[in-house]
Coordinates of all heavy atoms in Angstrom, one line a residue:
I1 N -0.5 8.6 -14.9 CA 0.3 9.2 -13.8 C -0.6 9.6 -12.7 O -0.3 9.4 -11.5 CB 1.1 10.4 -14.4 CG1 2.1 9.9 -15.3 CG2 1.7 11.2 -13.2 CD1 2.9 11.0 -16.1
K2 N -1.8 10.2 -13.0 CA -2.7 10.6 -11.9 C -3.2 9.4 -11.1 O -3.3 9.4 -9.9 CB -3.9 11.3 -12.6 CG -4.8 12.0 -11.6 CD -5.9 11.1 -11.1 CE -6.8 11.8 -10.0 NZ -7.7 10.9 -9.4
S3 N -3.5 8.3 -11.8 CA -4.0 7.1 -11.2 C -2.9 6.5 -10.3 O -3.1 6.0 -9.2 CB -4.5 6.1 -12.2 OG -5.6 6.6 -12.9
S4 N -1.7 6.5 -10.8 CA -0.5 5.9 -10.1 C -0.2 6.7 -8.8 O 0.1 6.1 -7.8 CB 0.7 5.8 -11.0 OG 1.2 7.1 -11.3
I5 N -0.4 8.0 -8.9 CA -0.2 8.8 -7.7 C -1.2 8.5 -6.7 O -0.9 8.4 -5.5 CB -0.2 10.3 -8.1 CG1 1.0 10.7 -8.9 CG2 -0.2 11.2 -6.8 CD1 1.0 12.1 -9.5
S6 N -2.5 8.3 -7.1 CA -3.5 8.0 -6.2 C -3.3 6.6 -5.5 O -3.5 6.5 -4.3 CB -4.9 8.0 -6.9 OG -5.2 9.2 -7.4
I7 N -2.8 5.7 -6.3 CA -2.5 4.3 -5.8 C -1.3 4.4 -4.8 O -1.4 3.8 -3.7 CB -2.2 3.4 -6.9 CG1 -3.4 3.1 -7.8 CG2 -1.6 2.0 -6.4 CD1 -3.2 2.3 -9.0
M8 N -0.3 5.2 -5.1 CA 0.9 5.3 -4.2 C 0.5 5.9 -2.9 O 0.9 5.5 -1.8 CB 2.0 6.0 -4.9 CG 2.7 5.2 -5.9 SD 4.2 6.0 -6.5 CE 3.5 7.4 -7.4
L9 N -0.4 7.0 -2.9 CA -0.9 7.6 -1.7 C -1.7 6.7 -0.9 O -1.6 6.6 0.3 CB -1.7 8.9 -2.1 CG -0.9 10.1 -2.6 CD1 -1.8 11.2 -3.1 CD2 0.1 10.6 -1.6
H10 N -2.5 5.9 -1.6 CA -3.4 4.9 -0.9 C -2.5 3.9 -0.2 O -2.7 3.5 1.0 CB -4.3 4.2 -1.9 CG -4.8 2.9 -1.4 ND1 -5.9 2.8 -0.5 CD2 -4.5 1.6 -1.7 CE1 -6.1 1.6 -0.2 NE2 -5.3 0.8 -1.0
L11 N -1.4 3.4 -0.9 CA -0.5 2.4 -0.3 C 0.2 3.0 0.9 O 0.3 2.4 2.0 CB 0.5 2.0 -1.3 CG 1.6 1.0 -0.9 CD1 0.9 -0.3 -0.4 CD2 2.5 0.7 -2.0
Y12 N 0.6 4.3 0.8 CA 1.3 4.9 1.9 C 0.4 5.0 3.1 O 0.8 4.7 4.3 CB 1.8 6.3 1.5 CG 2.4 7.1 2.6 CD1 3.7 6.9 3.1 CD2 1.6 8.2 3.2 CE1 4.2 7.6 4.1 CE2 2.1 8.9 4.2 CZ 3.4 8.7 4.7 OH 3.9 9.4 5.7
H13 N -0.8 5.5 2.9 CA -1.7 5.7 4.1 C -2.1 4.3 4.7 O -2.3 4.2 5.9 CB -3.0 6.4 3.6 CG -2.8 7.9 3.3 ND1 -2.2 8.7 4.2 CD2 -3.0 8.6 2.2 CE1 -2.1 9.9 3.6 NE2 -2.6 9.9 2.4
H14 N -2.3 3.3 3.8 CA -2.6 2.0 4.3 C -1.5 1.4 5.1 O -1.8 0.9 6.2 CB -2.9 1.0 3.1 CG -3.3 -0.3 3.5 ND1 -4.7 -0.6 3.7 CD2 -2.7 -1.5 3.6 CE1 -4.8 -1.9 4.1 NE2 -3.6 -2.4 4.0
L15 N -0.3 1.6 4.7 CA 0.9 1.1 5.5 C 1.0 1.9 6.8 O 1.3 1.3 7.9 CB 2.1 1.2 4.7 CG 2.2 0.3 3.5 CD1 3.5 0.6 2.7 CD2 2.2 -1.2 3.9
Q16 N 0.7 3.2 6.8 CA 0.7 3.9 8.0 C -0.3 3.5 9.0 O -0.1 3.4 10.2 CB 0.6 5.4 7.7 CG 1.7 6.1 7.0 CD 3.0 6.1 7.8 OE1 3.0 6.4 9.0 NE2 4.1 5.8 7.2
D17 N -1.5 3.2 8.5 CA -2.6 2.7 9.3 C -2.3 1.4 9.9 O -2.6 1.1 11.1 CB -3.9 2.7 8.5 CG -4.4 4.0 8.1 OD1 -4.0 5.0 8.8 OD2 -5.2 4.1 7.2
M18 N -1.7 0.5 9.1 CA -1.3 -0.8 9.6 C -0.3 -0.7 10.7 O -0.3 -1.4 11.7 CB -0.7 -1.7 8.4 CG -1.8 -2.2 7.5 SD -1.1 -3.0 6.0 CE 0.1 -4.1 6.7
K19 N 0.7 0.2 10.5 CA 1.8 0.4 11.5 C 1.2 0.9 12.8 O 1.6 0.5 13.9 CB 2.8 1.3 10.9 CG 4.0 1.5 11.8 CD 5.1 2.4 11.2 CE 6.3 2.5 12.1 NZ 7.3 3.4 11.5
A20 N 0.3 1.9 12.7 CA -0.3 2.5 13.9 C -1.2 1.5 14.6 O -1.2 1.5 15.9 CB -1.2 3.7 13.5
S21 N -2.0 0.7 13.9 CA -2.9 -0.3 14.5 C -2.1 -1.4 15.2 O -2.7 -2.1 16.1 CB -3.9 -0.8 13.5 OG -3.2 -1.6 12.5
T22 N -0.9 -1.7 14.8 CA -0.1 -2.8 15.4 C 1.0 -2.3 16.2 O 1.9 -3.1 16.6 CB 0.4 -3.7 14.3 OG1 1.2 -2.9 13.4 CG2 -0.7 -4.4 13.5
N23 N 1.0 -1.0 16.5 CA 2.1 -0.4 17.4 C 3.5 -0.6 16.8 O 4.4 -0.9 17.6 CB 2.0 -0.9 18.8 CG 0.7 -0.4 19.5 OD1 0.2 0.7 19.2 ND2 0.1 -1.3 20.2
G24 N 3.6 -0.6 15.5 CA 4.9 -0.8 14.9 C 5.2 -2.2 14.6 O 6.2 -2.5 13.9
A25 N 4.4 -3.1 15.0 CA 4.7 -4.5 14.7 C 4.3 -4.8 13.3 O 3.6 -4.1 12.6 CB 3.9 -5.4 15.7
R26 N 4.8 -6.0 12.8 CA 4.5 -6.3 11.4 C 3.0 -6.7 11.3 O 2.5 -7.6 11.9 CB 5.4 -7.5 11.0 CG 5.2 -7.8 9.5 CD 6.2 -8.9 9.1 NE 6.1 -9.2 7.7 CZ 6.9 -10.1 7.1 NH1 7.8 -10.8 7.8 NH2 6.7 -10.3 5.8
G27 N 2.3 -6.0 10.4 CA 0.9 -6.2 10.2 C 0.6 -7.3 9.2 O 1.5 -7.9 8.6
P28 N -0.7 -7.5 8.9 CA -1.0 -8.5 7.9 C -0.6 -8.0 6.5 O -0.5 -6.8 6.2 CB -2.6 -8.5 8.0 CG -2.9 -7.2 8.5 CD -1.8 -6.8 9.5
K29 N -0.4 -9.0 5.6 CA 0.1 -8.7 4.3 C -1.1 -8.2 3.4 O -2.2 -8.6 3.7 CB 0.7 -10.0 3.6 CG 2.0 -10.4 4.3 CD 2.5 -11.7 3.6 CE 3.8 -12.1 4.3 NZ 4.4 -13.3 3.6
L30 N -0.7 -7.5 2.4 CA -1.8 -7.0 1.4 C -2.1 -8.1 0.4 O -3.2 -8.0 -0.2 CB -1.2 -5.8 0.7 CG -1.2 -4.5 1.5 CD1 -0.5 -3.4 0.7 CD2 -2.6 -4.0 1.9
G31 N -1.3 -9.1 0.3 CA -1.7 -10.2 -0.6 C -1.7 -9.8 -2.0 O -0.8 -9.1 -2.5
T32 N -2.8 -10.2 -2.7 CA -2.9 -9.9 -4.1 C -3.0 -8.4 -4.4 O -2.5 -7.9 -5.5 CB -4.2 -10.6 -4.7 OG1 -4.1 -12.0 -4.4 CG2 -4.4 -10.3 -6.2
Q33 N -3.5 -7.6 -3.5 CA -3.6 -6.2 -3.7 C -2.2 -5.6 -3.9 O -2.0 -4.7 -4.8 CB -4.2 -5.5 -2.5 CG -5.7 -5.6 -2.5 CD -6.4 -4.7 -1.5 OE1 -5.7 -3.8 -1.0 NE2 -7.6 -4.8 -1.2
M34 N -1.2 -6.0 -3.1 CA 0.2 -5.5 -3.3 C 0.7 -5.9 -4.6 O 1.4 -5.1 -5.3 CB 1.0 -6.1 -2.2 CG 2.4 -5.4 -2.1 SD 2.2 -3.7 -1.7 CE 3.8 -3.0 -2.2
R35 N 0.4 -7.1 -5.1 CA 0.9 -7.6 -6.4 C 0.3 -6.7 -7.5 O 1.0 -6.4 -8.5 CB 0.7 -9.1 -6.6 CG 1.5 -9.7 -7.7 CD 1.2 -11.2 -7.8 NE 2.1 -11.8 -8.8 CZ 3.3 -12.4 -8.5 NH1 3.7 -12.3 -7.3 NH2 4.0 -12.9 -9.4
V36 N -1.0 -6.4 -7.4 CA -1.7 -5.6 -8.4 C -1.1 -4.2 -8.4 O -0.9 -3.6 -9.4 CB -3.2 -5.6 -8.1 CG1 -3.9 -4.6 -9.0 CG2 -3.8 -7.0 -8.4
I37 N -0.8 -3.7 -7.2 CA -0.2 -2.3 -7.1 C 1.1 -2.3 -7.8 O 1.4 -1.4 -8.6 CB -0.1 -1.9 -5.6 CG1 -1.5 -1.7 -5.0 CG2 0.8 -0.7 -5.5 CD1 -1.5 -1.4 -3.5
K38 N 1.9 -3.3 -7.5 CA 3.2 -3.4 -8.2 C 3.1 -3.5 -9.7 O 3.8 -2.8 -10.5 CB 4.0 -4.6 -7.7 CG 4.5 -4.5 -6.3 CD 5.3 -5.7 -5.8 CE 5.8 -5.6 -4.4 NZ 6.5 -6.9 -4.0
M39 N 2.2 -4.3 -10.2 CA 1.9 -4.5 -11.6 C 1.5 -3.1 -12.2 O 2.0 -2.7 -13.3 CB 0.9 -5.5 -11.9 CG 0.6 -5.8 -13.4 SD -1.0 -6.6 -13.7 CE -2.1 -5.3 -13.3
T40 N 0.5 -2.5 -11.6 CA 0.0 -1.2 -12.1 C 1.1 -0.1 -12.2 O 1.2 0.5 -13.2 CB -1.2 -0.7 -11.2 OG1 -2.1 -1.7 -11.1 CG2 -1.8 0.5 -11.8
L41 N 1.9 0.0 -11.1 CA 2.9 1.0 -11.1 C 4.0 0.7 -12.2 O 4.6 1.6 -12.8 CB 3.5 1.1 -9.7 CG 2.6 1.6 -8.6 CD1 3.3 1.7 -7.3 CD2 2.0 3.0 -9.0
T42 N 4.3 -0.6 -12.3 CA 5.3 -1.0 -13.3 C 4.8 -0.7 -14.7 O 5.5 -0.2 -15.6 CB 5.6 -2.5 -13.2 OG1 6.0 -2.8 -11.9 CG2 6.6 -2.9 -14.3

């Protein structure tokens, strides 16, 4: 649970940074990282 909370916070901050750097436009995909995050949380 502690590790999953850290991963979710990391994902949230990463998405916020992507949104800020692209002025709200759709940024680059996380690729395999996103799949690994989904697998880990599942």
Side-chain angles (χ1 to χ4, degrees):
I1 292 172
K2 191 271 175 190
S3 299
S4 65
I5 292 173
S6 298
I7 292 172
M8 286 189 290
L9 290 175
H10 162 75
L11 177 61
Y12 172 77
H13 291 307
H14 185 83
L15 294 176
Q16 290 295 318
D17 293 340
M18 285 171 52
K19 185 177 180 180
S21 63
T22 56
N23 295 322
R26 185 174 182 180
K29 295 182 179 180
L30 287 172
T32 302
Q33 284 195 10
M34 191 63 199
R35 197 176 186 92
V36 169
I37 290 172
K38 289 180 180 179
M39 181 200 73
T40 305
L41 296 180
T42 303

